[in-house]
Amino acid sequence: MVSSDGRTNPMSRNVLRGFDKKAFAVARKAARMSRGDVARLADTTAATIRNWEIGAVSPQIDFLARATKALNIEIGDVVVTDPEQRFLSDYRCLVGLTQPQLGKVCGLTTTTITRIERGEIALTEKIEIALAEALGISREQVNRAYMKAKRRPPGTPA
């Protein structure tokens, strides 16, 4: 797993759903950038970029957002999820935001974002509107993704 600084951290449990390590490596090579170049621009290490590409660790979304910006690609080019199966966390990742960053944009706490993403608390109209605006999706998509998390089987991550 990866710590907040993009380095290996065995205590972290976050996995970026849909990350395509091969697509990332292809994009890096197509941009004619070394791992060191991408690492420097994304404020991480070449070892971290290597670990993403070999699948040893999963990138944290804020570091991946900086890396994809350096490569001049969209996050969706290397994070692939079926639009019909997306959770709110998938939409958040596609726009390159961490939970604290999304919370700040929406005027919500990180805890509230976490609990909404997991379907653990009610999705109010106010929160639905704020999330739709911040994520650049419709309110219907927000509601559908929320309900997918709320109705998921026990033990299934959202």
Side-chain angles (χ1 to χ4, degrees), residues 6 25 28 30 52 56 61 70 89 103 109 129-130 138 154:
R28 179 185 57 78
W52 293 355
I61 193 58
S89 58
T109 67
I129 291 168
S138 70

Side-chain angles (χ1 to χ4, degrees), residues 103-145:
K104 186 173 182 180
V105 170
C106 293
L108 302 168
T109 67
T110 301
T111 301
T112 298
I113 294 294
T114 300
R115 295 188 68 204
I116 290 290
E117 285 186 354
R118 292 178 183 166
E120 295 174 350
I121 60 174
L123 178 66
T124 65
E125 183 178 1
K126 180 181 175 185
I127 293 173
E128 183 180 289
I129 291 168
L131 289 171
E133 289 176 7
L135 299 173
I137 60 176
S138 70
R139 288 178 59 191
E140 181 181 281
Q141 287 171 297
V142 169
N143 194 281
R144 190 171 37 241

Side-chain angles (χ1 to χ4, degrees), residues 40-80:
R40 179 176 45 81
L41 295 169
D43 195 26
T44 190
T45 67
T48 295
I49 301 300
R50 177 187 177 277
N51 285 334
W52 293 355
E53 291 182 353
I54 66 171
V57 297
S58 182
Q60 294 229 173
I61 193 58
D62 47 347
F63 285 86
L64 182 61
R66 291 196 299 259
T68 56
K69 182 177 179 183
L71 294 171
N72 200 29
I73 62 172
E74 299 293 322
I75 292 172
D77 294 333
V78 296
V79 176
V80 182

Side-chain angles (χ1 to χ4, degrees), residues 1-93:
M1 296 298 148
V2 186
S3 66
S4 62
D5 67 356
R7 294 179 179 89
T8 302
N9 177 355
M11 299 303 289
S12 177
R13 62 180 184 84
N14 296 330
V15 174
L16 184 55
R17 198 167 93 98
F19 177 66
D20 185 336
K21 63 185 181 182
K22 291 178 186 174
F24 183 85
V26 166
R28 179 185 57 78
K29 291 171 187 172
R32 298 177 186 257
M33 294 177 77
S34 69
R35 290 174 176 154
D37 290 332
V38 176
R40 179 176 45 81
L41 295 169
D43 195 26
T44 190
T45 67
T48 295
I49 301 300
R50 177 187 177 277
N51 285 334
W52 293 355
E53 291 182 353
I54 66 171
V57 297
S58 182
Q60 294 229 173
I61 193 58
D62 47 347
F63 285 86
L64 182 61
R66 291 196 299 259
T68 56
K69 182 177 179 183
L71 294 171
N72 200 29
I73 62 172
E74 299 293 322
I75 292 172
D77 294 333
V78 296
V79 176
V80 182
T81 54
D82 178 351
E84 295 300 316
Q85 299 302 316
R86 286 184 183 150
F87 291 105
L88 285 169
S89 58
D90 295 323
Y91 285 112
R92 175 178 50 76
C93 289

